[in-house]
Amino acid sequence: MNRREAVLGTASLAIFGSLLATRAKAGDRFEVTRSDAEWQGMLTKLQYKVMRREGTERPFSSPLDKTYAKGEYHCRGCDLKLYSSKHKYDSGTGWPSFYKAQRNAIGTKPDRIGLRVYTEAHCRRCGSHLGHIFDDGPNPTGKRHCINGVSLVFKEV
């Protein structure tokens, strides 16, 4: 093995390891934990795919995208209050969008998809994947929390 092969091999391992670490679920660090079988038993196939495997629902498929009643949006996995209807807006993307989360409700981490890095949003209590946060939202925050409706439960108040 020459020096060039060693450097390329080491770099490849570092990149691959970084990608795996970013996509891994660290369920042990959350207050609410369940076995994989328990999650599968309480969620539909689509909910499980999105919330536990970081999938995405089809745009414009969630009735919560066009729900504008006064209320609260809770995590489907643990019932933590995540968003208020006061902070919801129509982003035109096909997913429920909010410019602000409730205090101490959302956790984030880098999410590498291909060559791009996004900000993944998850429930800080159970780790369920919610969606992503972008920097193209309205004032006052400039953020767009683009959230999968299947990860949420709406409670009218």
Side-chain angles (χ1 to χ4, degrees):
M1 177 186 304
N2 63 35
R3 183 173 174 225
R4 180 182 204 163
E5 291 170 330
V7 169
L8 287 174
T10 302
S12 296
L13 283 173
I15 291 169
F16 183 71
S18 171
L19 290 172
L20 283 178
T22 299
R23 299 297 292 180
K25 291 306 256 183
D28 292 341
R29 66 185 166 119
F30 298 107
E31 294 170 39
V32 174
T33 58
R34 295 184 175 88
S35 71
D36 201 48
E38 289 172 314
W39 283 113
Q40 288 179 353
M42 68 179 275
L43 302 171
T44 67
K45 286 184 180 189
L46 178 60
Q47 291 165 351
Y48 179 81
K49 176 186 166 197
V50 170
M51 295 169 61
R52 306 315 302 170
R53 296 291 177 241
E54 299 179 358
T56 303
E57 68 188 358
R58 286 186 346 269
F60 304 102
S61 65
S62 173
L64 294 181
D65 181 36
K66 298 299 182 193
T67 299
Y68 291 101
K70 186 177 177 182
E72 303 168 342
Y73 295 82
H74 290 239
C75 174
R76 182 174 300 282
C78 70
D79 201 36
L80 179 66
K81 181 180 169 186
L82 303 173
Y83 295 97
S84 168
S85 61
K86 293 184 291 188
H87 305 127
K88 188 171 190 290
Y89 72 101
D90 185 0
S91 66
T93 61
W95 289 279
S97 297
F98 305 85
Y99 63 84
K100 179 181 171 184
Q102 294 300 112
R103 181 177 221 145
N104 197 28
I106 303 296
T108 63
K109 70 175 185 179
D111 188 5
R112 289 173 177 83
I113 302 173
L115 297 176
R116 299 197 58 189
V117 179
Y118 298 91
T119 300
E120 185 251 0
H122 59 267
C123 173
R124 69 114 182 120
R125 188 161 62 187
C126 73
S128 290
H129 174 74
L130 302 171
H132 292 87
I133 302 172
F134 301 95
D135 292 323
D136 60 0
N139 289 327
T141 65
K143 300 291 184 187
R144 172 172 54 97
H145 293 235
C146 191
I147 307 300
N148 290 286
V150 297
S151 298
L152 303 173
V153 174
F154 177 69
K155 297 184 179 186
E156 201 165 343
V157 293

